[in-house]
Amino acid sequence: ENCRFLFKTFSDRNRYIPKLIHPSRIHIYNPALAMTIHKAQGSEADNVFLMWPEKLTNSAHLNKDVLDFSTYETRLLYTGITRAKEKLDIFTNLQI
């Protein structure tokens, strides 16, 4: 079976990297809750892991210095980011 799960693992340089792992290789695990940004509105969590798509449905104009809040994607990203109370990890292939 080609089933794989996405995990946050340590690299050789002791940095977190995402990695796809086959379920048979998982010996110890901690269950976690996953939800969409829409479902998370109005709630907070100590640690948030945000997976952002490479391609967006609308043309979001994301700039390192200025966020254009007129786009749906930017408002959605802002909502996802502001759910984190202590730690936020964002994984994306989006080139900014």
PDB file of all heavy atoms in Angstrom, residues 46-84:
ATOM      1  N   ASP A  46      -2.160  25.804  21.944  1.00  0.00           N
ATOM      2  CA  ASP A  46      -0.776  26.120  22.305  1.00  0.00           C
ATOM      3  C   ASP A  46       0.144  25.984  21.101  1.00  0.00           C
ATOM      4  O   ASP A  46       0.972  26.839  20.841  1.00  0.00           O
ATOM      5  CB  ASP A  46      -0.285  25.211  23.437  1.00  0.00           C
ATOM      6  CG  ASP A  46      -0.974  25.506  24.758  1.00  0.00           C
ATOM      7  OD1 ASP A  46      -1.493  26.624  24.920  1.00  0.00           O
ATOM      8  OD2 ASP A  46      -1.000  24.610  25.619  1.00  0.00           O
ATOM      9  N   ASN A  47       0.003  24.880  20.367  1.00  0.00           N
ATOM     10  CA  ASN A  47       0.843  24.606  19.195  1.00  0.00           C
ATOM     11  C   ASN A  47      -0.030  24.450  17.964  1.00  0.00           C
ATOM     12  O   ASN A  47      -0.981  23.678  17.973  1.00  0.00           O
ATOM     13  CB  ASN A  47       1.650  23.323  19.397  1.00  0.00           C
ATOM     14  CG  ASN A  47       2.554  23.416  20.598  1.00  0.00           C
ATOM     15  OD1 ASN A  47       3.374  24.305  20.687  1.00  0.00           O
ATOM     16  ND2 ASN A  47       2.381  22.498  21.523  1.00  0.00           N
ATOM     17  N   VAL A  48       0.323  25.170  16.894  1.00  0.00           N
ATOM     18  CA  VAL A  48      -0.421  25.096  15.642  1.00  0.00           C
ATOM     19  C   VAL A  48       0.540  24.706  14.528  1.00  0.00           C
ATOM     20  O   VAL A  48       1.627  25.256  14.397  1.00  0.00           O
ATOM     21  CB  VAL A  48      -1.099  26.440  15.308  1.00  0.00           C
ATOM     22  CG1 VAL A  48      -1.706  26.426  13.915  1.00  0.00           C
ATOM     23  CG2 VAL A  48      -2.157  26.782  16.347  1.00  0.00           C
ATOM     24  N   PHE A  49       0.142  23.729  13.736  1.00  0.00           N
ATOM     25  CA  PHE A  49       0.875  23.246  12.570  1.00  0.00           C
ATOM     26  C   PHE A  49       0.012  23.585  11.373  1.00  0.00           C
ATOM     27  O   PHE A  49      -1.064  23.012  11.200  1.00  0.00           O
ATOM     28  CB  PHE A  49       1.080  21.729  12.727  1.00  0.00           C
ATOM     29  CG  PHE A  49       1.805  21.080  11.595  1.00  0.00           C
ATOM     30  CD1 PHE A  49       3.177  20.972  11.624  1.00  0.00           C
ATOM     31  CD2 PHE A  49       1.115  20.549  10.519  1.00  0.00           C
ATOM     32  CE1 PHE A  49       3.857  20.343  10.589  1.00  0.00           C
ATOM     33  CE2 PHE A  49       1.773  19.919   9.492  1.00  0.00           C
ATOM     34  CZ  PHE A  49       3.156  19.817   9.521  1.00  0.00           C
ATOM     35  N   LEU A  50       0.439  24.531  10.558  1.00  0.00           N
ATOM     36  CA  LEU A  50      -0.365  25.027   9.444  1.00  0.00           C
ATOM     37  C   LEU A  50       0.246  24.566   8.126  1.00  0.00           C
ATOM     38  O   LEU A  50       1.406  24.835   7.847  1.00  0.00           O
ATOM     39  CB  LEU A  50      -0.421  26.563   9.493  1.00  0.00           C
ATOM     40  CG  LEU A  50      -1.211  27.297   8.438  1.00  0.00           C
ATOM     41  CD1 LEU A  50      -2.681  26.917   8.496  1.00  0.00           C
ATOM     42  CD2 LEU A  50      -1.064  28.797   8.625  1.00  0.00           C
ATOM     43  N   MET A  51      -0.540  23.842   7.362  1.00  0.00           N
ATOM     44  CA  MET A  51      -0.102  23.398   6.033  1.00  0.00           C
ATOM     45  C   MET A  51      -0.805  24.278   5.002  1.00  0.00           C
ATOM     46  O   MET A  51      -2.025  24.260   4.901  1.00  0.00           O
ATOM     47  CB  MET A  51      -0.440  21.925   5.827  1.00  0.00           C
ATOM     48  CG  MET A  51       0.317  21.021   6.770  1.00  0.00           C
ATOM     49  SD  MET A  51      -0.163  19.294   6.655  1.00  0.00           S
ATOM     50  CE  MET A  51       0.213  18.958   4.952  1.00  0.00           C
ATOM     51  N   TRP A  52      -0.011  25.055   4.249  1.00  0.00           N
ATOM     52  CA  TRP A  52      -0.559  26.004   3.295  1.00  0.00           C
ATOM     53  C   TRP A  52      -0.314  25.480   1.883  1.00  0.00           C
ATOM     54  O   TRP A  52       0.795  25.063   1.559  1.00  0.00           O
ATOM     55  CB  TRP A  52       0.110  27.369   3.486  1.00  0.00           C
ATOM     56  CG  TRP A  52      -0.607  28.461   2.786  1.00  0.00           C
ATOM     57  CD1 TRP A  52      -0.199  29.111   1.662  1.00  0.00           C
ATOM     58  CD2 TRP A  52      -1.866  29.038   3.143  1.00  0.00           C
ATOM     59  NE1 TRP A  52      -1.120  30.051   1.298  1.00  0.00           N
ATOM     60  CE2 TRP A  52      -2.148  30.033   2.184  1.00  0.00           C
ATOM     61  CE3 TRP A  52      -2.778  28.799   4.150  1.00  0.00           C
ATOM     62  CZ2 TRP A  52      -3.322  30.789   2.231  1.00  0.00           C
ATOM     63  CZ3 TRP A  52      -3.937  29.553   4.191  1.00  0.00           C
ATOM     64  CH2 TRP A  52      -4.199  30.537   3.249  1.00  0.00           C
ATOM     65  N   PRO A  53      -1.333  25.493   0.994  1.00  0.00           N
ATOM     66  CA  PRO A  53      -1.167  24.923  -0.349  1.00  0.00           C
ATOM     67  C   PRO A  53      -0.212  25.740  -1.213  1.00  0.00           C
ATOM     68  O   PRO A  53      -0.049  26.942  -1.014  1.00  0.00           O
ATOM     69  CB  PRO A  53      -2.586  24.959  -0.922  1.00  0.00           C
ATOM     70  CG  PRO A  53      -3.260  26.053  -0.175  1.00  0.00           C
ATOM     71  CD  PRO A  53      -2.657  26.052   1.207  1.00  0.00           C
ATOM     72  N   GLU A  54       0.392  25.059  -2.169  1.00  0.00           N
ATOM     73  CA  GLU A  54       1.307  25.726  -3.096  1.00  0.00           C
ATOM     74  C   GLU A  54       0.536  26.636  -4.048  1.00  0.00           C
ATOM     75  O   GLU A  54       0.932  27.744  -4.333  1.00  0.00           O
ATOM     76  CB  GLU A  54       2.079  24.684  -3.900  1.00  0.00           C
ATOM     77  CG  GLU A  54       3.049  25.285  -4.884  1.00  0.00           C
ATOM     78  CD  GLU A  54       3.845  24.218  -5.597  1.00  0.00           C
ATOM     79  OE1 GLU A  54       3.784  23.050  -5.203  1.00  0.00           O
ATOM     80  OE2 GLU A  54       4.524  24.572  -6.563  1.00  0.00           O
ATOM     81  N   LYS A  55      -0.609  26.146  -4.518  1.00  0.00           N
ATOM     82  CA  LYS A  55      -1.422  26.936  -5.439  1.00  0.00           C
ATOM     83  C   LYS A  55      -2.641  27.454  -4.704  1.00  0.00           C
ATOM     84  O   LYS A  55      -3.289  26.738  -3.969  1.00  0.00           O
ATOM     85  CB  LYS A  55      -1.856  26.084  -6.626  1.00  0.00           C
ATOM     86  CG  LYS A  55      -0.685  25.683  -7.483  1.00  0.00           C
ATOM     87  CD  LYS A  55      -1.141  24.937  -8.699  1.00  0.00           C
ATOM     88  CE  LYS A  55       0.084  24.566  -9.526  1.00  0.00           C
ATOM     89  NZ  LYS A  55      -0.270  23.906 -10.754  1.00  0.00           N
ATOM     90  N   LEU A  56      -2.947  28.725  -4.921  1.00  0.00           N
ATOM     91  CA  LEU A  56      -4.090  29.354  -4.274  1.00  0.00           C
ATOM     92  C   LEU A  56      -5.213  29.523  -5.289  1.00  0.00           C
ATOM     93  O   LEU A  56      -4.968  29.638  -6.484  1.00  0.00           O
ATOM     94  CB  LEU A  56      -3.682  30.710  -3.702  1.00  0.00           C
ATOM     95  CG  LEU A  56      -2.506  30.660  -2.716  1.00  0.00           C
ATOM     96  CD1 LEU A  56      -2.094  32.052  -2.324  1.00  0.00           C
ATOM     97  CD2 LEU A  56      -2.889  29.857  -1.496  1.00  0.00           C
ATOM     98  N   THR A  57      -6.452  29.546  -4.783  1.00  0.00           N
ATOM     99  CA  THR A  57      -7.597  29.641  -5.689  1.00  0.00           C
ATOM    100  C   THR A  57      -7.720  31.027  -6.303  1.00  0.00           C
ATOM    101  O   THR A  57      -8.082  31.177  -7.443  1.00  0.00           O
ATOM    102  CB  THR A  57      -8.898  29.306  -4.945  1.00  0.00           C
ATOM    103  OG1 THR A  57      -9.010  30.153  -3.807  1.00  0.00           O
ATOM    104  CG2 THR A  57      -8.905  27.859  -4.518  1.00  0.00           C
ATOM    105  N   ASN A  58      -7.432  32.061  -5.537  1.00  0.00           N
ATOM    106  CA  ASN A  58      -7.441  33.432  -6.053  1.00  0.00           C
ATOM    107  C   ASN A  58      -6.005  33.927  -6.086  1.00  0.00           C
ATOM    108  O   ASN A  58      -5.119  33.319  -5.526  1.00  0.00           O
ATOM    109  CB  ASN A  58      -8.269  34.352  -5.147  1.00  0.00           C
ATOM    110  CG  ASN A  58      -9.725  33.950  -5.140  1.00  0.00           C
ATOM    111  OD1 ASN A  58     -10.245  33.471  -6.133  1.00  0.00           O
ATOM    112  ND2 ASN A  58     -10.366  34.111  -4.007  1.00  0.00           N
ATOM    113  N   SER A  59      -5.785  35.056  -6.713  1.00  0.00           N
ATOM    114  CA  SER A  59      -4.421  35.584  -6.758  1.00  0.00           C
ATOM    115  C   SER A  59      -4.160  36.402  -5.502  1.00  0.00           C
ATOM    116  O   SER A  59      -4.490  37.569  -5.427  1.00  0.00           O
ATOM    117  CB  SER A  59      -4.225  36.437  -8.005  1.00  0.00           C
ATOM    118  OG  SER A  59      -5.167  37.490  -8.009  1.00  0.00           O
ATOM    119  N   ALA A  60      -3.583  35.788  -4.496  1.00  0.00           N
ATOM    120  CA  ALA A  60      -3.243  36.474  -3.257  1.00  0.00           C
ATOM    121  C   ALA A  60      -1.929  37.196  -3.458  1.00  0.00           C
ATOM    122  O   ALA A  60      -0.974  36.632  -3.954  1.00  0.00           O
ATOM    123  CB  ALA A  60      -3.120  35.476  -2.111  1.00  0.00           C
ATOM    124  N   HIS A  61      -1.883  38.450  -3.088  1.00  0.00           N
ATOM    125  CA  HIS A  61      -0.658  39.229  -3.219  1.00  0.00           C
ATOM    126  C   HIS A  61       0.020  39.256  -1.862  1.00  0.00           C
ATOM    127  O   HIS A  61      -0.240  40.119  -1.036  1.00  0.00           O
ATOM    128  CB  HIS A  61      -0.978  40.639  -3.713  1.00  0.00           C
ATOM    129  CG  HIS A  61      -1.687  40.628  -5.027  1.00  0.00           C
ATOM    130  ND1 HIS A  61      -1.058  40.292  -6.206  1.00  0.00           N
ATOM    131  CD2 HIS A  61      -2.973  40.860  -5.346  1.00  0.00           C
ATOM    132  CE1 HIS A  61      -1.920  40.350  -7.196  1.00  0.00           C
ATOM    133  NE2 HIS A  61      -3.090  40.685  -6.703  1.00  0.00           N
ATOM    134  N   LEU A  62       0.898  38.272  -1.627  1.00  0.00           N
ATOM    135  CA  LEU A  62       1.607  38.182  -0.363  1.00  0.00           C
ATOM    136  C   LEU A  62       2.980  38.810  -0.535  1.00  0.00           C
ATOM    137  O   LEU A  62       3.729  38.470  -1.438  1.00  0.00           O
ATOM    138  CB  LEU A  62       1.747  36.730   0.085  1.00  0.00           C
ATOM    139  CG  LEU A  62       0.439  35.997   0.358  1.00  0.00           C
ATOM    140  CD1 LEU A  62       0.730  34.547   0.708  1.00  0.00           C
ATOM    141  CD2 LEU A  62      -0.316  36.659   1.491  1.00  0.00           C
ATOM    142  N   ASN A  63       3.295  39.726   0.332  1.00  0.00           N
ATOM    143  CA  ASN A  63       4.569  40.409   0.324  1.00  0.00           C
ATOM    144  C   ASN A  63       5.173  40.239   1.703  1.00  0.00           C
ATOM    145  O   ASN A  63       4.449  40.245   2.694  1.00  0.00           O
ATOM    146  CB  ASN A  63       4.326  41.890   0.000  1.00  0.00           C
ATOM    147  CG  ASN A  63       5.591  42.696  -0.058  1.00  0.00           C
ATOM    148  OD1 ASN A  63       6.386  42.676   0.874  1.00  0.00           O
ATOM    149  ND2 ASN A  63       5.763  43.416  -1.152  1.00  0.00           N
ATOM    150  N   LYS A  64       6.483  40.101   1.801  1.00  0.00           N
ATOM    151  CA  LYS A  64       7.132  39.910   3.101  1.00  0.00           C
ATOM    152  C   LYS A  64       6.791  41.030   4.077  1.00  0.00           C
ATOM    153  O   LYS A  64       6.672  40.808   5.262  1.00  0.00           O
ATOM    154  CB  LYS A  64       8.649  39.871   2.950  1.00  0.00           C
ATOM    155  CG  LYS A  64       9.180  38.696   2.210  1.00  0.00           C
ATOM    156  CD  LYS A  64      10.671  38.634   2.358  1.00  0.00           C
ATOM    157  CE  LYS A  64      11.350  39.481   1.314  1.00  0.00           C
ATOM    158  NZ  LYS A  64      12.775  39.177   1.179  1.00  0.00           N
ATOM    159  N   ASP A  65       6.648  42.249   3.559  1.00  0.00           N
ATOM    160  CA  ASP A  65       6.465  43.408   4.426  1.00  0.00           C
ATOM    161  C   ASP A  65       5.009  43.801   4.623  1.00  0.00           C
ATOM    162  O   ASP A  65       4.637  44.316   5.667  1.00  0.00           O
ATOM    163  CB  ASP A  65       7.235  44.609   3.859  1.00  0.00           C
ATOM    164  CG  ASP A  65       8.707  44.289   3.678  1.00  0.00           C
ATOM    165  OD1 ASP A  65       9.280  43.634   4.578  1.00  0.00           O
ATOM    166  OD2 ASP A  65       9.266  44.667   2.638  1.00  0.00           O
ATOM    167  N   VAL A  66       4.164  43.554   3.629  1.00  0.00           N
ATOM    168  CA  VAL A  66       2.776  44.009   3.680  1.00  0.00           C
ATOM    169  C   VAL A  66       1.844  42.883   3.250  1.00  0.00           C
ATOM    170  O   VAL A  66       2.071  42.249   2.229  1.00  0.00           O
ATOM    171  CB  VAL A  66       2.561  45.225   2.745  1.00  0.00           C
ATOM    172  CG1 VAL A  66       1.114  45.663   2.777  1.00  0.00           C
ATOM    173  CG2 VAL A  66       3.480  46.364   3.106  1.00  0.00           C
ATOM    174  N   LEU A  67       0.814  42.632   4.038  1.00  0.00           N
ATOM    175  CA  LEU A  67      -0.201  41.660   3.655  1.00  0.00           C
ATOM    176  C   LEU A  67      -1.422  42.399   3.135  1.00  0.00           C
ATOM    177  O   LEU A  67      -1.919  43.318   3.775  1.00  0.00           O
ATOM    178  CB  LEU A  67      -0.615  40.800   4.859  1.00  0.00           C
ATOM    179  CG  LEU A  67       0.397  39.781   5.344  1.00  0.00           C
ATOM    180  CD1 LEU A  67      -0.122  39.074   6.584  1.00  0.00           C
ATOM    181  CD2 LEU A  67       0.725  38.778   4.265  1.00  0.00           C
ATOM    182  N   ASP A  68      -1.891  42.026   1.957  1.00  0.00           N
ATOM    183  CA  ASP A  68      -3.083  42.622   1.377  1.00  0.00           C
ATOM    184  C   ASP A  68      -4.301  41.873   1.919  1.00  0.00           C
ATOM    185  O   ASP A  68      -4.596  40.772   1.487  1.00  0.00           O
ATOM    186  CB  ASP A  68      -3.008  42.517  -0.143  1.00  0.00           C
ATOM    187  CG  ASP A  68      -4.263  43.029  -0.829  1.00  0.00           C
ATOM    188  OD1 ASP A  68      -5.124  43.623  -0.139  1.00  0.00           O
ATOM    189  OD2 ASP A  68      -4.380  42.839  -2.044  1.00  0.00           O
ATOM    190  N   PHE A  69      -5.004  42.465   2.894  1.00  0.00           N
ATOM    191  CA  PHE A  69      -6.125  41.797   3.546  1.00  0.00           C
ATOM    192  C   PHE A  69      -7.393  41.792   2.701  1.00  0.00           C
ATOM    193  O   PHE A  69      -8.424  41.332   3.145  1.00  0.00           O
ATOM    194  CB  PHE A  69      -6.399  42.416   4.920  1.00  0.00           C
ATOM    195  CG  PHE A  69      -5.441  41.928   5.957  1.00  0.00           C
ATOM    196  CD1 PHE A  69      -4.291  42.631   6.246  1.00  0.00           C
ATOM    197  CD2 PHE A  69      -5.678  40.734   6.625  1.00  0.00           C
ATOM    198  CE1 PHE A  69      -3.400  42.159   7.180  1.00  0.00           C
ATOM    199  CE2 PHE A  69      -4.785  40.260   7.568  1.00  0.00           C
ATOM    200  CZ  PHE A  69      -3.643  40.969   7.845  1.00  0.00           C
ATOM    201  N   SER A  70      -7.320  42.288   1.470  1.00  0.00           N
ATOM    202  CA  SER A  70      -8.504  42.268   0.616  1.00  0.00           C
ATOM    203  C   SER A  70      -8.713  40.895  -0.023  1.00  0.00           C
ATOM    204  O   SER A  70      -9.776  40.629  -0.555  1.00  0.00           O
ATOM    205  CB  SER A  70      -8.397  43.337  -0.474  1.00  0.00           C
ATOM    206  OG  SER A  70      -7.335  43.014  -1.356  1.00  0.00           O
ATOM    207  N   THR A  71      -7.716  40.014   0.035  1.00  0.00           N
ATOM    208  CA  THR A  71      -7.874  38.698  -0.579  1.00  0.00           C
ATOM    209  C   THR A  71      -8.348  37.681   0.450  1.00  0.00           C
ATOM    210  O   THR A  71      -7.992  37.735   1.620  1.00  0.00           O
ATOM    211  CB  THR A  71      -6.557  38.195  -1.207  1.00  0.00           C
ATOM    212  OG1 THR A  71      -5.604  38.002  -0.175  1.00  0.00           O
ATOM    213  CG2 THR A  71      -6.017  39.177  -2.228  1.00  0.00           C
ATOM    214  N   TYR A  72      -9.131  36.749  -0.021  1.00  0.00           N
ATOM    215  CA  TYR A  72      -9.662  35.688   0.832  1.00  0.00           C
ATOM    216  C   TYR A  72      -8.536  34.870   1.450  1.00  0.00           C
ATOM    217  O   TYR A  72      -8.557  34.536   2.635  1.00  0.00           O
ATOM    218  CB  TYR A  72     -10.595  34.798   0.017  1.00  0.00           C
ATOM    219  CG  TYR A  72     -11.056  33.574   0.749  1.00  0.00           C
ATOM    220  CD1 TYR A  72     -12.015  33.672   1.759  1.00  0.00           C
ATOM    221  CD2 TYR A  72     -10.531  32.324   0.454  1.00  0.00           C
ATOM    222  CE1 TYR A  72     -12.430  32.545   2.440  1.00  0.00           C
ATOM    223  CE2 TYR A  72     -10.947  31.202   1.134  1.00  0.00           C
ATOM    224  CZ  TYR A  72     -11.891  31.313   2.129  1.00  0.00           C
ATOM    225  OH  TYR A  72     -12.300  30.208   2.808  1.00  0.00           O
ATOM    226  N   GLU A  73      -7.522  34.510   0.640  1.00  0.00           N
ATOM    227  CA  GLU A  73      -6.433  33.677   1.118  1.00  0.00           C
ATOM    228  C   GLU A  73      -5.653  34.351   2.248  1.00  0.00           C
ATOM    229  O   GLU A  73      -5.257  33.700   3.202  1.00  0.00           O
ATOM    230  CB  GLU A  73      -5.476  33.309  -0.021  1.00  0.00           C
ATOM    231  CG  GLU A  73      -6.027  32.288  -0.973  1.00  0.00           C
ATOM    232  CD  GLU A  73      -6.863  32.923  -2.077  1.00  0.00           C
ATOM    233  OE1 GLU A  73      -6.977  34.162  -2.114  1.00  0.00           O
ATOM    234  OE2 GLU A  73      -7.410  32.176  -2.893  1.00  0.00           O
ATOM    235  N   THR A  74      -5.423  35.643   2.135  1.00  0.00           N
ATOM    236  CA  THR A  74      -4.676  36.356   3.170  1.00  0.00           C
ATOM    237  C   THR A  74      -5.458  36.393   4.470  1.00  0.00           C
ATOM    238  O   THR A  74      -4.890  36.193   5.551  1.00  0.00           O
ATOM    239  CB  THR A  74      -4.334  37.787   2.706  1.00  0.00           C
ATOM    240  OG1 THR A  74      -3.646  37.706   1.456  1.00  0.00           O
ATOM    241  CG2 THR A  74      -3.460  38.486   3.712  1.00  0.00           C
ATOM    242  N   ARG A  75      -6.763  36.614   4.393  1.00  0.00           N
ATOM    243  CA  ARG A  75      -7.589  36.599   5.605  1.00  0.00           C
ATOM    244  C   ARG A  75      -7.594  35.209   6.236  1.00  0.00           C
ATOM    245  O   ARG A  75      -7.531  35.064   7.456  1.00  0.00           O
ATOM    246  CB  ARG A  75      -9.015  37.062   5.288  1.00  0.00           C
ATOM    247  CG  ARG A  75      -9.094  38.532   4.914  1.00  0.00           C
ATOM    248  CD  ARG A  75     -10.532  39.038   4.867  1.00  0.00           C
ATOM    249  NE  ARG A  75     -11.421  38.220   4.054  1.00  0.00           N
ATOM    250  CZ  ARG A  75     -11.672  38.414   2.765  1.00  0.00           C
ATOM    251  NH1 ARG A  75     -11.098  39.405   2.123  1.00  0.00           N
ATOM    252  NH2 ARG A  75     -12.508  37.625   2.117  1.00  0.00           N
ATOM    253  N   LEU A  76      -7.644  34.167   5.397  1.00  0.00           N
ATOM    254  CA  LEU A  76      -7.612  32.795   5.888  1.00  0.00           C
ATOM    255  C   LEU A  76      -6.272  32.484   6.555  1.00  0.00           C
ATOM    256  O   LEU A  76      -6.223  31.898   7.639  1.00  0.00           O
ATOM    257  CB  LEU A  76      -7.869  31.838   4.720  1.00  0.00           C
ATOM    258  CG  LEU A  76      -8.200  30.396   5.050  1.00  0.00           C
ATOM    259  CD1 LEU A  76      -9.495  30.314   5.851  1.00  0.00           C
ATOM    260  CD2 LEU A  76      -8.327  29.593   3.775  1.00  0.00           C
ATOM    261  N   LEU A  77      -5.183  32.912   5.935  1.00  0.00           N
ATOM    262  CA  LEU A  77      -3.848  32.711   6.514  1.00  0.00           C
ATOM    263  C   LEU A  77      -3.724  33.437   7.846  1.00  0.00           C
ATOM    264  O   LEU A  77      -3.223  32.886   8.824  1.00  0.00           O
ATOM    265  CB  LEU A  77      -2.772  33.191   5.540  1.00  0.00           C
ATOM    266  CG  LEU A  77      -1.320  33.035   5.980  1.00  0.00           C
ATOM    267  CD1 LEU A  77      -0.987  31.575   6.240  1.00  0.00           C
ATOM    268  CD2 LEU A  77      -0.385  33.611   4.928  1.00  0.00           C
ATOM    269  N   TYR A  78      -4.217  34.660   7.912  1.00  0.00           N
ATOM    270  CA  TYR A  78      -4.196  35.426   9.166  1.00  0.00           C
ATOM    271  C   TYR A  78      -4.958  34.682  10.258  1.00  0.00           C
ATOM    272  O   TYR A  78      -4.487  34.574  11.396  1.00  0.00           O
ATOM    273  CB  TYR A  78      -4.803  36.813   8.937  1.00  0.00           C
ATOM    274  CG  TYR A  78      -4.956  37.605  10.209  1.00  0.00           C
ATOM    275  CD1 TYR A  78      -3.880  38.302  10.745  1.00  0.00           C
ATOM    276  CD2 TYR A  78      -6.168  37.642  10.885  1.00  0.00           C
ATOM    277  CE1 TYR A  78      -4.007  39.020  11.923  1.00  0.00           C
ATOM    278  CE2 TYR A  78      -6.313  38.353  12.065  1.00  0.00           C
ATOM    279  CZ  TYR A  78      -5.230  39.040  12.572  1.00  0.00           C
ATOM    280  OH  TYR A  78      -5.368  39.743  13.737  1.00  0.00           O
ATOM    281  N   THR A  79      -6.112  34.141   9.928  1.00  0.00           N
ATOM    282  CA  THR A  79      -6.905  33.384  10.904  1.00  0.00           C
ATOM    283  C   THR A  79      -6.119  32.179  11.407  1.00  0.00           C
ATOM    284  O   THR A  79      -6.073  31.904  12.600  1.00  0.00           O
ATOM    285  CB  THR A  79      -8.245  32.928  10.291  1.00  0.00           C
ATOM    286  OG1 THR A  79      -8.974  34.081   9.881  1.00  0.00           O
ATOM    287  CG2 THR A  79      -9.064  32.130  11.275  1.00  0.00           C
ATOM    288  N   GLY A  80      -5.487  31.444  10.486  1.00  0.00           N
ATOM    289  CA  GLY A  80      -4.696  30.279  10.888  1.00  0.00           C
ATOM    290  C   GLY A  80      -3.539  30.647  11.790  1.00  0.00           C
ATOM    291  O   GLY A  80      -3.281  29.988  12.804  1.00  0.00           O
ATOM    292  N   ILE A  81      -2.836  31.711  11.461  1.00  0.00           N
ATOM    293  CA  ILE A  81      -1.677  32.149  12.245  1.00  0.00           C
ATOM    294  C   ILE A  81      -2.087  32.579  13.651  1.00  0.00           C
ATOM    295  O   ILE A  81      -1.432  32.246  14.634  1.00  0.00           O
ATOM    296  CB  ILE A  81      -0.942  33.297  11.521  1.00  0.00           C
ATOM    297  CG1 ILE A  81      -0.241  32.755  10.277  1.00  0.00           C
ATOM    298  CG2 ILE A  81       0.047  33.991  12.445  1.00  0.00           C
ATOM    299  CD1 ILE A  81       0.321  33.829   9.375  1.00  0.00           C
ATOM    300  N   THR A  82      -3.189  33.281  13.751  1.00  0.00           N
ATOM    301  CA  THR A  82      -3.595  33.827  15.053  1.00  0.00           C
ATOM    302  C   THR A  82      -4.251  32.798  15.970  1.00  0.00           C
ATOM    303  O   THR A  82      -4.643  33.133  17.085  1.00  0.00           O
ATOM    304  CB  THR A  82      -4.529  35.042  14.868  1.00  0.00           C
ATOM    305  OG1 THR A  82      -5.658  34.652  14.082  1.00  0.00           O
ATOM    306  CG2 THR A  82      -3.789  36.186  14.204  1.00  0.00           C
ATOM    307  N   ARG A  83      -4.346  31.541  15.554  1.00  0.00           N
ATOM    308  CA  ARG A  83      -4.860  30.484  16.441  1.00  0.00           C
ATOM    309  C   ARG A  83      -3.784  30.027  17.421  1.00  0.00           C
ATOM    310  O   ARG A  83      -4.076  29.446  18.451  1.00  0.00           O
ATOM    311  CB  ARG A  83      -5.330  29.249  15.656  1.00  0.00           C
ATOM    312  CG  ARG A  83      -6.449  29.454  14.646  1.00  0.00           C
ATOM    313  CD  ARG A  83      -7.654  30.151  15.191  1.00  0.00           C
ATOM    314  NE  ARG A  83      -7.523  31.571  14.893  1.00  0.00           N
ATOM    315  CZ  ARG A  83      -8.180  32.546  15.521  1.00  0.00           C
ATOM    316  NH1 ARG A  83      -9.018  32.283  16.475  1.00  0.00           N
ATOM    317  NH2 ARG A  83      -7.991  33.800  15.202  1.00  0.00           N
ATOM    318  N   ALA A  84      -2.504  30.263  17.105  1.00  0.00           N
ATOM    319  CA  ALA A  84      -1.394  29.776  17.931  1.00  0.00           C
ATOM    320  C   ALA A  84      -1.151  30.678  19.130  1.00  0.00           C
ATOM    321  O   ALA A  84      -0.976  31.878  18.981  1.00  0.00           O
ATOM    322  CB  ALA A  84      -0.126  29.680  17.092  1.00  0.00           C
TER     323      ALA A  84
END
